Amino acid sequence: MPPRTAVFFHAHPDDEALLTAGTMAMLAAEGHRVVLVVATAGERGLAEMEPGEALGETRLKELYKSAALLGCARVECLGYGDSGLSPKGGSAEERPDNAFIDADTEAAAKALAAILQEERADLLAIYDPAGGYGHPDHVQVHRVGKRAAKIAGTEIVLEATVNRDPLLWLLRVAGRFYKFPPEFDVRTFESAYSPGEAITHRVNVRRYTRQKRSSMAAHASQASGGDSDRTLAVMLKVPRPLYRFVFGTEWYVRRDLPPGARLTHPFDRWPT
Ligand SMILES: [Zn+2]
């Protein structure tokens, strides 16, 4: 396969580690050009540091470290404001002026499309329409990414997701040795991400779980500190053998393929 270019578009630093790190490391190891774009610096993320510019700088540094571990050739931040922590993105008064969820979709899409065109990207990875677990910045990644691919004429659009069937199983297992805080409700995941039958790509990334774990660990500001319910902290507590098993697959939905398509590599053609 001749080297191709894949752009991964994420909302915040650390999202790449959770959803697509194994695929990114795999593509880079195969000689493809991997580009990471985030919409925001994640300056209102969960950390011991106060939300703000300094946290954004710390999180971008963590992002560069993660990207280097995964073999990315380029990292860009579109510079939108992190819409905030609450599941609804915070009230309008709480949000920064340039919050990503308030951004003009067309303008944001053009900024991303410019990178896709410059890179002559063959593939763009975004999120599913629900934005995974529903963070508004993630829903916006879907909208902006879809439009950007259209503007740039990017051939392959993959929606990064999670097969919710094993995820629910993991959360129930994790619940046995890790005490989730009361506000963490496993049942909310019953409608998050995608059911197994909707998934078109199951990418085996077991060979890259070491990089994936290092990428998660690079986001230290999100994995340690006060609150105990952050996703990364939970994920990093998963024992290594189980981690390899649970995080050994990454899932995508490609909407232009017929139902029932089952592929194992982002650049696979259908029918195979
Ligand atoms: Zn995020």
Side-chain angles (χ1 to χ4, degrees):
M1 196 190 290
R4 305 182 78 182
T5 299
V7 176
F8 288 78
F9 183 41
H10 285 284
H12 315 106
D14 86 356
D15 290 322
E16 86 289 358
L18 289 163
L19 278 173
T20 63
T23 309
M24 294 166 77
M26 180 187 83
L27 292 175
E30 289 171 356
H32 301 291
R33 181 172 168 86
V34 177
V35 174
L36 173 58
V37 181
V38 289
T40 81
E43 72 279 4
R44 308 186 78 201
L46 287 156
E48 280 183 330
M49 288 170 72
E50 287 290 306
E53 220 170 284
L55 176 56
E57 277 169 29
T58 298
R59 294 197 66 188
L60 282 180
K61 276 184 202 150
E62 292 170 350
L63 183 75
Y64 296 137
K65 194 175 166 192
S66 160
L69 288 161
L70 299 175
C72 293
R74 177 179 176 189
V75 185
E76 292 290 340
C77 177
L78 297 186
Y80 286 100
D82 180 351
S83 305
L85 290 178
S86 92
K88 301 250 175 331
S91 67
E93 308 84 74
E94 282 165 10
R95 294 201 293 268
D97 291 341
N98 63 340
F100 187 45
I101 57 171
D102 301 321
D104 175 55
T105 308
E106 194 64 19
K110 278 184 183 156
L112 178 59
I115 297 171
L116 294 172
Q117 283 161 337
E118 200 181 309
E119 291 288 344
R120 298 177 191 214
D122 300 289
L123 180 154
L124 173 67
I126 58 175
Y127 302 144
D128 57 36
Y133 60 90
H135 189 298
D137 279 341
H138 289 224
V139 177
Q140 183 77 320
V141 160
H142 173 81
R143 281 195 292 258
V144 167
K146 217 174 134 182
R147 179 72 189 129
K150 190 136 240 164
I151 297 170
T154 306
E155 185 198 344
I156 302 170
V157 178
L158 293 184
E159 297 174 7
T161 188
V162 172
N163 182 342
R164 82 163 75 112
D165 310 336
L167 173 71
L168 285 167
W169 174 82
L170 162 72
L171 290 170
R172 286 182 190 122
V173 171
R176 287 190 203 145
F177 60 86
Y178 178 81
K179 198 179 173 317
F180 292 118
E183 65 272 20
F184 183 91
D185 186 353
V186 171
R187 280 171 305 176
T188 59
F189 285 88
E190 283 165 8
S191 57
Y193 300 104
S194 307
E197 77 240 21
I199 289 164
T200 55
H201 289 65
R202 288 165 173 77
V203 182
N204 180 340
V205 296
R206 280 192 189 201
R207 287 178 63 191
Y208 304 96
T209 48
R210 192 180 50 79
Q211 275 114 307
K212 186 165 175 168
R213 200 178 174 109
S214 308
S215 159
M216 285 188 190
H219 293 284
S221 72
Q222 303 303 296
S224 61
D227 296 329
S228 55
D229 62 331
R230 60 199 55 166
T231 319
L232 274 180
V234 176
M235 300 301 188
L236 285 167
K237 278 187 189 186
V238 175
R240 274 169 203 267
L242 180 64
Y243 186 96
R244 206 171 130 79
F245 175 69
V246 171
F247 295 98
T249 306
E250 288 174 351
W251 300 272
Y252 300 89
V253 179
R254 188 173 158 183
R255 302 268 161 203
D256 60 330
L257 296 187
R262 291 286 179 273
L263 302 176
T264 56
H265 191 283
F267 290 129
D268 275 352
R269 296 192 174 278
W270 183 266
T272 45

